[in-house]
Amino acid sequence: MAELFVNLAEQYAKGRPSYPQQLFEFIASKTPSHDLAWDAGTGSGQAARSLAGIYKNVIATDTSPKQLSFAPRLPNVRYQLTPPTMSSAELERNVAPQSSIDVVTVAQALHWFDLPDFYQQVKWVLKKPHGVIAAWCYTPPKVNDSVEALFKPFHFVSVDPYWDASHKLMDDMYRNIDFPFEPVEGADHTGPFEFVTERLMDLDDYFTFFRSRSAYQIAREKGVEHLSDDVIEEFKHAWNEDGLDKKVVKFPVYLRIGRVGNL
């Protein structure tokens, strides 16, 4: 799966949405200090860019050098290529010393991780007891009824057999993903908390997003083209019904957030 995202790096950088400022403000409100953030699985840096406006320094890691090559270069963000698993010594060298990080974020990637191993790393690097982990995913974009009527059969029927099993955790809005952390201050649960991110898109943007999805690429590798000429024409008709070339597309975002506590 990691190799798949290497091949998708450019489409991923172009096709994926950024995340709402309200999400980052909410996360930052739960961390007593804003010195150091670790964005794990940063990909092409969508979350790291926003974190850099709040935290003094950001470490953004990924296992794909190609993904990192598309990330925005910012003075207070250090991009770091890391192996899938790290010893404590490697974690300190590549990321940060023990108990030094205010927040660990994971945007649209937690379901790919080896969770027991990753959570051990998180608990090692976070400040005790108030260090925070925040992980979120988004579910399929919402455009309008006409486009939705075409998209839903793709997502839930045609494309469904090609999703990795871990994708079901996103369909469930991370409700059932393992998340062994305490509720943050002011909350009595760890989520999911709902936000919405919006992006102005034309139909080409929409298709770029669709093509950046792992199931679409897996299907193509098996000789199945979901965006055939006929399907594209159907989408063109539905997209242009209202006469607007560009549309505000909404992506529901679901956040799990917790603090490390005293280990």
Side-chain angles (χ1 to χ4, degrees):
M1 191 58 67
E3 182 62 28
L4 178 66
F5 281 102
V6 169
N7 298 331
L8 283 174
E10 186 171 5
Q11 284 191 335
Y12 197 97
K14 291 179 178 178
R16 295 305 177 107
S18 56
Y19 304 106
Q21 185 62 25
Q22 295 92 331
L23 170 71
F24 295 99
E25 290 172 355
F26 178 77
I27 294 168
S29 74
K30 304 304 179 183
T31 60
S33 56
H34 301 128
D35 296 321
L36 185 58
W38 173 23
D39 187 40
T42 195
S44 45
Q46 285 92 341
R49 178 171 47 201
S50 295
L51 290 167
I54 299 173
Y55 291 85
K56 291 178 182 177
N57 289 288
V58 178
I59 302 149
T61 64
D62 205 276
T63 60
S64 165
K66 192 168 183 181
Q67 286 269 23
L68 290 174
S69 72
F70 290 100
R73 268 39 195 176
L74 298 166
N76 63 332
V77 177
R78 173 169 65 87
Y79 292 102
Q80 179 68 47
L81 183 68
T82 55
T85 60
M86 290 183 281
S87 66
S88 295
E90 289 173 318
L91 189 61
E92 182 165 0
R93 182 171 62 252
N94 291 324
V95 182
Q98 186 174 12
S99 302
S100 65
I101 286 179
D102 297 300
V103 64
V104 176
T105 58
V106 189
Q108 194 73 2
L110 188 65
H111 50 285
W112 298 121
F113 288 6
D114 177 340
L115 292 181
D117 181 67
F118 177 64
Y119 287 152
Q120 186 177 2
Q121 295 174 7
V122 168
K123 292 174 180 179
W124 192 84
V125 298
L126 280 177
K127 294 177 180 177
K128 316 299 185 294
H130 299 297
V132 166
I133 175 173
W136 61 91
C137 65
Y138 53 81
T139 52
K142 299 183 182 298
V143 183
N144 58 34
D145 290 344
S146 297
V147 176
E148 288 289 292
L150 291 175
F151 181 83
K152 285 183 178 179
F154 277 98
H155 184 74
F156 294 107
V157 181
S158 300
V159 180
D160 189 69
Y162 300 96
W163 286 117
D164 185 88
S166 61
H167 187 271
K168 303 300 182 185
L169 294 168
M170 286 200 302
D171 283 342
D172 194 42
M173 298 167 283
Y174 276 0
R175 283 195 184 97
N176 291 316
I177 200 165
D178 182 35
F179 198 75
F181 299 94
E182 301 176 4
V184 293
E185 185 176 352
D188 59 4
H189 61 92
T190 61
F193 298 90
E194 186 173 357
F195 298 83
V196 176
T197 190
E198 297 182 349
R199 183 177 177 186
L200 189 64
M201 303 175 80
D202 60 22
L203 186 56
D204 285 340
D205 296 329
Y206 187 78
F207 285 150
T208 299
F209 168 78
F210 194 95
R211 292 186 177 105
S212 75
R213 309 179 90 206
S214 60
Y216 173 82
Q217 293 296 329
I218 290 170
R220 285 198 73 190
E221 289 174 2
K222 295 183 177 181
V224 178
E225 175 53 73
H226 286 116
L227 289 179
S228 64
D229 291 343
D230 289 344
V231 169
I232 287 174
E233 285 303 313
E234 289 184 62
F235 269 105
K236 283 182 179 178
H237 178 74
W239 191 273
N240 294 321
E241 273 186 2
D242 60 6
L244 298 174
D245 180 47
K246 290 183 177 288
K247 295 176 174 49
V248 175
V249 179
K250 297 183 178 181
F251 293 80
V253 177
Y254 298 94
L255 169 72
R256 296 296 301 273
I257 185 170
R259 67 174 196 153
V260 67
N262 287 306
L263 299 179

